Amino acid sequence: AQTVTQSQPEMSVQEAETVTLSCTYDTSENNYYLFWYKQPPSRQMILVIRQEAYKQQNATENRFSVNFQKAAKSFSLKISDSQLGDTAMYFCAFMKWEVMRFGAGTRLTVKP
Amino acid sequence: SAVISQKPSRDICQRGTSLTIQCQVDSQVTMMFWYRQQPGQSLTLIATANQGSEATYESGFVIDKFPISRPNLTFSTLTVSNMSPEDSSIYLCSGGGATDTQYFGPGTRLTVL
């Protein structure tokens, strides 16, 4: 079974600075999908970014980018120019055959 | 993308009773799922809601306790049966394509007294 590990339970960053959240996963599959979701206190899960494993190019969405290292099974999220609204729980997720597995989450606090 | 709504948003129930949670998607989706999330923790998959057939349950979850219906490609229900305080949690549904992003509903906060 696939497992997803987020080793940073909590992180903080100053507003306007850059922060990187770590995620590793374990799988024997070659084709799969990886995601970062954000869950603010409203508890609505919001898609941040998505990466297809067959694509070598790292996904980017505005201030959010990933560093996807397939051989190392690593999928980190970089948030640039952090904003107060980025404060939330961030979940890394792995998807294969429609089933999505989540990491334990990282609670990110952006400080003014 | 898909927009997903859930009803109710929250409820307080007595032990021994049952609650049915509804999940509605604004467009047809291939897959729908139900998750449980304890406050401050990650999401645990309960089951995959299959259209036209029985749901597929994860280890630790059984149909008698969590019956699921999916009558069409835009709607699903999860019933939490014979509730106990241990069932107090947030229940989320999601929907998406077979190889696509899952979009989530806002969740249902259940408290069992």
Side-chain angles (χ1 to χ4, degrees):
Chain A
Q2 292 85 10
T3 58
V4 181
T5 301
Q6 293 179 250
S7 58
Q8 306 151 314
E10 293 188 19
M11 294 190 72
S12 64
V13 63
Q14 292 296 132
E15 196 175 7
E17 294 189 348
T18 296
V19 63
T20 298
L21 308 183
S22 301
C23 173
T24 58
Y25 56 95
D26 183 28
T27 185
S28 58
E29 302 286 348
N30 188 48
N31 295 316
Y32 47 87
Y33 300 83
L34 296 164
F35 304 85
W36 280 97
Y37 282 89
K38 164 186 175 181
Q39 189 179 43
S42 67
R43 77 171 181 256
Q44 175 72 56
M45 291 284 283
I46 301 167
L47 175 67
V48 175
I49 202 163
R50 156 197 167 109
Q51 174 82 43
E52 290 89 348
Y54 61 85
K55 290 186 177 179
Q56 293 185 342
Q57 185 174 5
N58 289 325
T60 299
E61 287 289 344
N62 301 314
R63 299 182 294 106
F64 299 89
S65 62
V66 298
N67 182 5
F68 173 47
Q69 301 291 328
K70 190 173 184 179
K73 298 178 183 176
S74 171
F75 183 60
S76 61
L77 174 69
K78 185 171 81 171
I79 306 174
S80 304
D81 185 25
S82 296
Q83 301 176 359
L84 296 178
D86 294 334
T87 293
M89 281 287 285
Y90 285 80
F91 292 100
C92 177
F94 172 102
M95 187 174 82
K96 176 67 178 182
W97 303 123
E98 303 93 35
V99 176
M100 189 172 279
R101 305 292 179 190
F102 289 86
T106 296
R107 183 177 302 279
L108 176 67
T109 302
V110 180
K111 299 179 179 179
Chain B
S1 66
V3 177
I4 299 180
S5 59
Q6 282 184 238
K7 289 195 295 187
S9 60
R10 60 176 61 218
D11 208 340
I12 301 173
C13 301
Q14 297 296 319
R15 70 170 64 211
T17 63
S18 297
L19 175 71
T20 296
I21 303 168
Q22 299 179 6
C23 179
Q24 179 75 54
V25 190
D26 70 341
S27 58
Q28 292 186 348
V29 291
T30 306
M31 312 297 297
M32 292 185 74
F33 302 88
W34 287 97
Y35 294 86
R36 186 168 71 183
Q37 184 182 29
Q38 300 289 353
Q41 297 188 20
S42 188
L43 284 72
T44 300
L45 180 64
I46 297 172
T48 303
N50 300 310
Q51 195 264 329
S53 64
E54 212 168 81
T56 304
Y57 290 84
E58 294 292 298
S59 176
F61 297 96
V62 296
I63 188 172
D64 290 345
K65 177 67 175 178
F66 298 100
I68 288 171
S69 77
R70 189 168 174 204
N72 56 52
L73 292 177
T74 64
F75 186 78
S76 178
T77 66
L78 168 74
T79 299
V80 186
S81 303
N82 188 24
M83 289 184 286
S84 67
E86 292 71 36
D87 295 319
S88 297
S89 190
I90 298 167
Y91 293 85
L92 298 107
C93 71
S94 71
T99 57
D100 204 352
T101 302
Q102 286 187 35
Y103 295 93
F104 286 82
T108 296
R109 182 181 292 274
L110 171 62
T111 302
V112 184
L113 302 178

